[in-house]
Amino acid sequence: MKATQFMALAVLEANNIRDLYEQYSLRGADDEVSIEDLKDVISDYVPIKIQVDELDWGAQRYWGIIQRFEDLAQIYVAKRGEKDEPGRLTYCEQRFVIAKELGHLVIDSPDNFTRNAVGLVEDLCAPVLAKLDGRHQLQSEFITEIFAIECLLPHQRRMAHIQQIRAGATTPLDVATHFRVPEKQVLVAMNPDYEEACRHIYKLLD
């Protein structure tokens, strides 16, 4: 699969989950997605019980991990702390990491399950896109990052905000704060190539 195909898969699955989330969650109309409700929706969708716990592992590049068992998916995420605090995630960063790990349950096939955790940590220190191909285990990491963006910062809701950024009426940080996502994910969503690809994919979905 090419990177564009990975992106289409991520957007398609995120769109499915968003539809279910908006039906299920009492906060479905809010721009700030409830991670707990998102977890419950995905738990029913897969289906599997999902447990999320914080873990103090002092990671600098590796903030979340998922372990799959027969009847349980266990997600561990780095503890919350202040911005730039070593080994800690901000509230917005932690939300994004959890959404990304949840994406593995929706998207990964058994062949894509990460078996070599040490190798994956080493891979994460290298540029993802430079190494991306259809056989590499990082394909899953690439897809789930897009999945998390489209779940927490959905195309239909972010476009008006992005237009305001370009008009100088607001900033990427303000939009990130509004949606409770990391600022860098707003910048990814604003990338012209990313925007064009999303428009094309969503047009096919309509």
Side-chain angles (χ1 to χ4, degrees):
M1 291 177 74
K2 298 179 180 179
T4 51
Q5 293 172 302
F6 291 142
M7 183 172 180
L9 174 60
V11 170
L12 174 63
E13 290 290 10
N15 190 65
N16 291 338
I17 294 299
R18 283 289 313 190
D19 285 346
L20 292 171
Y21 172 84
E22 291 177 11
Q23 296 172 35
Y24 166 86
S25 176
L26 295 176
R27 297 177 54 185
D30 295 347
D31 282 342
E32 180 182 347
V33 170
S34 164
I35 293 297
E36 187 66 24
D37 287 354
L38 185 67
K39 175 177 75 72
D40 290 344
V41 166
I42 291 174
S43 178
D44 290 340
Y45 184 77
V46 177
I48 194 172
K49 180 181 178 182
I50 304 170
Q51 178 73 31
V52 179
D53 293 301
E54 290 186 331
L55 190 64
D56 188 2
W57 52 33
Q60 297 300 314
R61 302 266 321 180
Y62 194 45
W63 300 111
I65 191 169
I66 185 167
Q67 295 178 320
R68 297 172 180 82
F69 305 97
E70 184 175 348
D71 58 354
L72 174 69
Q74 174 70 62
I75 293 174
Y76 292 106
V77 61
K79 286 189 173 183
R80 194 183 307 166
E82 299 300 320
K83 185 176 181 180
D84 298 326
E85 182 180 351
R88 295 287 187 269
L89 295 170
T90 65
Y91 173 72
C92 294
E93 289 169 340
Q94 192 183 70
R95 283 166 48 81
F96 188 80
V97 170
I98 294 172
K100 184 173 174 291
E101 296 304 321
L102 289 170
H104 285 291
L105 294 172
V106 177
I107 290 170
D108 284 1
S109 69
D111 289 341
N112 284 337
F113 290 175
T114 299
R115 306 298 185 187
N116 181 2
V118 174
L120 179 57
V121 172
E122 292 174 351
D123 287 339
L124 287 171
C125 294
V128 173
L129 293 178
K131 301 184 70 176
L132 186 66
D133 65 43
R135 299 173 302 280
H136 201 281
Q137 64 185 358
L138 275 181
Q139 66 180 351
S140 175
E141 300 303 312
F142 176 72
I143 296 172
T144 53
E145 182 166 348
I146 295 171
F147 174 88
I149 290 173
E150 294 306 312
C151 279
L152 301 185
L153 190 67
H155 181 261
Q156 295 90 336
R157 296 195 180 192
R158 71 175 179 253
M159 290 312 299
H161 294 271
I162 288 176
Q163 289 172 2
Q164 289 181 342
I165 293 173
R166 292 189 171 131
T170 189
T171 68
L173 180 58
D174 288 338
V175 174
T177 301
H178 176 75
F179 284 93
R180 294 293 189 265
V181 298
E183 182 183 12
K184 64 182 178 180
Q185 307 308 333
V186 175
L187 297 176
V188 169
M190 287 181 62
N191 179 285
D193 292 334
Y194 188 95
E195 276 192 285
E196 182 179 357
C198 279
R199 279 196 297 268
H200 178 68
I201 294 166
Y202 279 109
K203 184 176 180 180
L204 293 175
L205 292 176
D206 288 341

